[in-house]
Amino acid sequence: MNAVVAAVLIMLVLSLCRIHVVVALIIGAISGGLVAGMSLETTINAFNTGLGGGATVALSYATLGAFAVAIGKSGLAHALADKALAIVGRQEEGGAATGIRFMIIGLLLAIAISSQNILPIHIAFIPLVVPPLLYVMAKLNMDRRLVACVLTFGLITPYMFLPVGFGGIYLNEILLANVGDNGVDASELNVMSAMALPALGMFIGLLIAVFFSYRGGRSYDMKLIERTERVDVKYSPKTLVMALVAIAVAFVVQLWLGSMILGALAGFVLFNISGVVKWKEADDLFTEGMKMLAMIGFIMIAANGFAEVMRETGEIASLVEGSVAAIGDNKALAALLMLVVGLLITMGIGSSFSTIPIIAALYVPLALQLGFSPLAIVALVGTAGALGDAGSPASDSTLGPTAGLNVDGQHNHIWDTVVPTFLHYNLPLLAFGWLAAMVL
């Protein structure tokens, strides 16, 4: 068996058996290296070499976590939750709660989409906004699997369709750049046109989750929620205004300097200067925020080690070459197999951004040889990279929702986030990515 396929399958099986994701990644990486004929020492060295690639991401999440805790200290999230709870009470008196359910879904979707462009703090908003809403959602019997699907849609679709914020990095700096480096003139291409059909597939998956799969209720233990999350936070008009100002400052600094780390730090310092966060509390709050997203940072670091081992095996290329041998001149089958291979690679690595450079060098020459248009090639490579981001145990797009929904221990990462997002997004994305490659 191909070493990459073996490593990904081992990692996924272990994760589905509720083995911790970091352990599953390490065992999967070592297994893949040994299957490829690498020695244990060489495999471990490759894994260790890859760990450094995740350090920047981990530090970004740590500082964003600190900024999120400071926003939480301002009471902004609890103010939103209290308002929602008051509306729930009125709706219950009126005998209907459908409106508030959709209001919460719309609010979380809007924030998730904004976290990719308007305020590019990515998943850092989830532990801030979601936990205070768990009590409200439980009162409404909302299925947290639905919320996980909504959040994951908002974290992925904007970067794969809108060339702003994280989308500007993924579409312009990574996708178009790598496609151009491998022989396609991408200077005049409209990347939004290329990715419109795949994004439509994601949207259809969201509609299925909202209106069919999880429209029914699901009960949760209210005592666990009250014990973990119904903590009163004092807030005032001043603290709420300062929270909004800090968010705006963080956004401006991030755009100006191109650094999420410095943007988050600027926002955190502003909270200190304004007095929302007292100086004597600053150190403890910063540490608390770093801890909040530390596990996600460790998983991303381990995923980079996994990715490095996969690259060192040299069998990513053989996986693609084997697919080429099986398809001949069949464009339809070629597009499908390239997307499936992209799904496997991203499921293991957990990062669309890291997948594109790996597959572009292999896919672009093959696609040119088979006669795909430049726009179709961009759609093919862009979709193959995004496939697997939803539904990967090591992806921040699934880890983030779990971090917010599982604070009371009632939301399983694999069965309540990973499996639902895999089914609702990867399958439509596979179908619509294939369609885009064939019609563009």
Side-chain angles (χ1 to χ4, degrees):
M1 180 183 289
N2 181 278
V4 175
V5 175
V8 172
L9 289 178
I10 289 170
M11 183 273 293
L12 292 176
V13 170
L14 290 174
S15 296
L16 289 171
C17 293
R18 300 178 187 263
I19 303 296
H20 195 279
V21 176
V22 171
V23 177
L25 282 166
I26 295 172
I27 294 175
I30 293 174
S31 301
L34 296 178
V35 169
M38 298 165 60
S39 67
L40 181 60
E41 182 181 359
T42 302
T43 302
I44 293 175
N45 287 338
F47 186 84
N48 290 337
T49 300
L51 297 180
T56 301
V57 175
L59 182 59
S60 296
Y61 286 154
T63 54
L64 289 173
F67 182 43
V69 168
I71 296 176
K73 180 74 174 176
S74 74
L76 182 61
H78 283 75
L80 291 173
D82 290 344
K83 182 67 175 177
L85 188 56
I87 297 174
V88 169
R90 291 199 296 271
Q91 291 284 351
E92 286 180 341
E93 291 174 3
T98 303
I100 188 64
R101 286 167 62 93
F102 282 104
M103 187 191 80
I104 291 175
I105 290 172
L107 172 67
L108 292 176
L109 180 60
I111 296 174
I113 291 174
S114 300
S115 74
Q116 304 302 298
N117 35 65
I118 297 175
L119 177 63
I121 61 173
H122 197 37
I123 61 172
F125 78 92
I126 295 175
L128 163 70
V129 173
V130 173
L133 291 173
L134 290 182
Y135 184 83
V136 181
M137 290 189 286
K139 290 273 288 182
L140 295 166
N141 289 324
M142 285 183 65
D143 195 324
R144 293 185 190 180
R145 292 174 295 179
L146 166 61
V147 179
C149 287
V150 169
L151 292 172
T152 299
F153 174 88
L155 293 171
I156 294 175
T157 308
Y159 80 68
M160 60 175 282
F161 179 61
L162 300 173
V164 182
F166 286 108
I169 298 173
Y170 181 76
L171 296 173
N172 295 327
E173 298 180 21
I174 297 179
L175 176 57
L176 291 182
N178 278 276
V179 168
D181 289 344
N182 287 281
V184 173
D185 183 6
S187 59
E188 302 297 325
L189 294 181
N190 186 332
V191 70
M192 292 182 67
S193 298
M195 299 302 293
L197 278 173
L200 177 61
M202 293 286 292
F203 183 65
I204 290 175
L206 174 66
L207 294 180
I208 292 172
V210 172
F211 293 105
F212 294 96
S213 302
Y214 306 120
R215 65 178 180 178
R218 195 179 192 188
S219 299
Y220 296 91
D221 189 334
M222 297 294 291
K223 293 181 180 178
L224 288 176
I225 300 173
E226 290 171 346
R227 189 157 59 238
T228 55
E229 287 306 319
R230 291 308 295 169
V231 178
D232 290 332
V233 174
K234 294 181 180 179
Y235 54 85
S236 65
K238 174 193 172 184
T239 61
L240 297 181
V241 169
M242 285 311 306
L244 295 175
V245 172
I247 289 172
V249 169
F251 175 56
V252 171
V253 172
Q254 193 274 335
L255 289 182
W256 177 35
L257 300 177
S259 170
M260 288 185 289
I261 297 174
L262 294 179
L265 285 176
F268 188 83
V269 169
L270 185 59
F271 275 121
N272 278 263
I273 295 173
S274 66
V276 173
V277 173
K278 295 181 175 57
W279 285 103
K280 63 181 181 180
E281 299 175 340
D283 186 56
D284 290 339
L285 276 179
F286 199 88
T287 302
E288 180 185 346
M290 293 180 73
K291 282 197 234 179
M292 182 174 67
L293 295 182
M295 183 53 64
I296 295 175
F298 280 120
I299 293 173
M300 297 301 292
I301 289 173
N304 274 270
F306 182 98
E308 184 62 29
V309 174
M310 295 305 97
R311 283 189 284 266
E312 286 296 316
T313 64
E315 296 203 13
I316 292 178
S318 66
L319 180 62
V320 177
E321 289 166 3
S323 302
V324 173
I327 57 182
D329 295 327
N330 190 326
K331 288 179 66 175
L333 183 59
L336 180 61
L337 285 179
M338 281 190 276
L339 290 171
V340 170
V341 170
L343 170 63
L344 280 172
I345 295 172
T346 309
M347 285 285 287
I349 295 175
S351 170
S352 301
F353 291 68
S354 300
T355 301
I356 291 294
I358 297 173
I359 63 176
L362 306 170
Y363 282 14
V364 173
L366 171 61
L368 287 171
Q369 182 179 342
L370 291 170
F372 285 98
S373 70
L375 206 59
I377 292 173
V378 171
L380 193 58
V381 176
T383 304
L387 265 167
D389 194 356
S392 169
S395 168
D396 48 7
S397 298
T398 59
L399 290 165
T402 298
L405 293 167
N406 192 43
V407 292
D408 58 1
Q410 298 190 76
H411 184 88
N412 181 265
H413 178 55
I414 299 300
W415 293 106
D416 293 333
T417 296
V418 171
V419 173
T421 56
F422 179 92
L423 294 175
H424 287 87
Y425 296 129
N426 284 336
L427 299 183
L429 192 55
L430 189 65
F432 279 80
W434 177 86
L435 181 63
M438 298 308 297
V439 302
L440 292 177

